[in-house]
Amino acid sequence: MSTICAVSTPLAQGGLSVIRISGENAIDIASRIFVPFGDKQVSDMQGHTCAYGKVIDPTKNRQIDDAVLTVFIAPKSYTGENTAEISCHGGVYITKEILRICIAHGAVLAERGEFTKRAFLNGKLSLTQAESVMDLISAQGEYALRSANLTREGRLFKEISASAKELVRILGELAAWVDYPEEDLPDIEEAALSVSLTQILNVLDRILADYDNGMLLRNGVDTVIAGKPNVGKSTLMNMLLGYDRSIVTDIAGTTRDVIEETARLGELTLKLSDTAGIRDTDNKVEQLGVELAKKRLENCMLVMAVFDTSRPLDDEDTELLDYVEQLKKHLIIILNKSDLTSCIDSEQLKKYSPHIITISAKFNEGREEIQKITEEIFSLNNYNPDSTVFANERQKSCAETARKYLKQALDALKMGATLDAVTVTIDYATNALLELTGEKASEAVVNEVFSKFCVGK
Ligand code: GDP
């Protein structure tokens, strides 16, 4: 297998950069481009030790940078292969130069996620553990971090793998029965079989039930702040961004005209966009705006409908509420400008949503209330961050497939079907679980998983 190299830190100016080399020739390549100060030799370095020295370009007889080289000897490394990591000064040119000379000395540029893929192929990580590495990197809050760490420690793998092993055991028993009916084998206890299958089904159901919450924590809640001009939408948006504004980031892969800002609200990330009303108009430009607003409302998960409490509701306000109601979206009705005299009776709004709050965005009052209600809506107040969760659609869909076949097996047993019919469905369920853990995943599945990683990981 080739020796790969990549820059593992973001390619931008910073304090340090790390270039990682992994594979059979990693130490050899490092020994040719790195000269330790003093009388140390790279080839003599033990695993998990480092040396301070200079990175050189031997072909041009020139020094590139002072750096620290850390050596890991197979199999005691992240990838399970010989690995060398060069920590150099974080300049883009320096980093690229070091990468270039690694390649000139025989390394090839790593593909996305190739270090972690090798760790998986070398048995250092299960597929679910490997996937959790990306979750760790992208975790934006404590819950998401805890959940990714639990998966990385192998919790999900252990639970699913144990279920798969139990199915394999059952399959073994069934196969003996189906293949050697004339032998004097103990009877298959169908009741006991049902109990075992149901237990596995329960494990899957429990983990699947937390999927939506897990995804919410990872991906954030698409939220539209809707309301007429001047009700205080921008002020509310600023209040929600509040003190976290400095760490607000755009979410990659989303288009700018849809996601305008992201705000942290407790454990949740809200992906906020605001929209100015959906009132019918003859003006063509305004009509385009209305269509866009309607689309955003259709696609979001949560609507915050904002009203100026110092003004009575008018047709445009009720039109918005009716529209959101018809879309069956989670709705928080926000009566803004509580510092002014109110002329809206919140009773008349209860039919649209039980979540009605009065705030003053301008005076920064109501943020906590909005957080509380949002967590309530998405059942986060009952969420246990230490529960096992599936991290992505791939894992979920494998679990759903397994669940479908387990149910079929249970139904077949109940209806008194032959044992070979039951065996086939259990076999399908087992395969789905083994694909989930990666113990029996096709190359295409593995490639797909790692293609979502960043280069250098
Ligand atoms: P938008 O058009 O809905 O985005 O509304 P803005 O956020 O631009 O606010 C419109 C006006 O209402 C501005 O002058 C704000 O300062 C004012 N405003 C916003 N929130 C409050 C509030 O809680 N109380 C009062 N009195 N004025 C507010």
Side-chain angles (χ1 to χ4, degrees), residues 265-280:
L265 202 60
E267 280 303 323
L268 279 171
T269 301
L270 298 191
K271 298 191 274 186
L272 297 171
S273 62
D274 75 351
T275 166
I278 53 158
R279 170 155 238 186
D280 272 341

Side-chain angles (χ1 to χ4, degrees), residues 83-105:
T83 301
E85 285 180 6
I86 298 170
S87 304
C88 61
H89 289 106
V92 174
Y93 183 68
I94 294 173
T95 312
K96 281 187 171 169
E97 273 298 280
I98 297 177
L99 190 68
R100 186 186 62 73
I101 56 166
C102 288
I103 293 170
H105 284 80

